[in-house]
Amino acid sequence: MYNFPQQPPYYYQPQYPQRQMEQNIQMPQNYLKGRPVVSIEEARAAQIDLDGSIHIFTDIGNKRIYTKQINLDGTATLNVYQLVEDSAPAGYITREEFEKVIQRLREELKPNQQTEVPNF
């Protein structure tokens, strides 16, 4: 007979394509949708996406920001945000003024040097 070296038995293993997990999961990018406008009428007339995302319209001349969005019922909502500047003075005092008031209070609260001591 033939003399062949001993080999382990070979079993057929079909080769299935191995799926590798995708490591490149793309996260949705957050970006603002909108553009500058010159009036609220221009923001009202602007065409926006129907997916419900918020579009931002800046009106620098009027110091306003408009946001526009399509609601679930298909209507559009337009919100207006306006910059209000505080023109009233804050009412702060300087450190020097504060120290003067404190000194005056200390002088008023000092015990009077000329009070008589009662004799018992």
Side-chain angles (χ1 to χ4, degrees):
M1 299 280 193
Y2 300 105
N3 236 350
F4 291 110
Q6 288 287 338
Q7 291 183 350
Y10 177 76
Y11 298 104
Y12 175 72
Q13 295 179 351
Q15 295 292 325
Y16 296 108
Q18 294 184 4
R19 294 185 183 185
Q20 294 179 352
M21 295 294 287
E22 290 286 331
Q23 297 297 328
N24 300 343
I25 298 173
Q26 293 184 358
M27 299 299 287
Q29 294 182 359
N30 294 332
Y31 57 92
L32 298 176
K33 296 178 181 180
R35 62 184 173 87
V37 295
V38 294
S39 66
I40 191 170
E41 289 81 19
E42 187 176 352
R44 280 190 183 121
Q47 297 291 320
I48 62 171
D49 295 340
L50 300 176
D51 61 359
S53 59
I54 296 176
H55 289 253
I56 300 169
F57 302 99
T58 55
D59 185 356
I60 302 297
N62 294 318
K63 297 182 181 179
R64 292 182 181 164
I65 295 175
Y66 311 110
T67 61
K68 191 173 180 182
Q69 179 180 19
I70 299 294
N71 300 321
L72 292 175
D73 60 358
T75 61
T77 300
L78 181 71
N79 294 319
V80 180
Y81 303 92
Q82 184 170 357
L83 176 65
V84 178
E85 296 179 10
D86 189 15
S87 60
Y92 297 112
I93 62 170
T94 64
R95 179 76 180 187
E96 184 178 304
E97 292 170 332
F98 177 75
E99 293 295 334
K100 284 180 184 178
V101 170
I102 294 297
Q103 184 62 31
R104 200 172 332 140
L105 283 173
R106 285 184 181 155
E107 289 174 3
E108 289 179 11
L109 294 177
K110 277 186 184 177
N112 203 348
Q113 300 284 341
Q114 300 173 355
T115 57
E116 296 180 18
V117 178
N119 291 332
F120 291 103

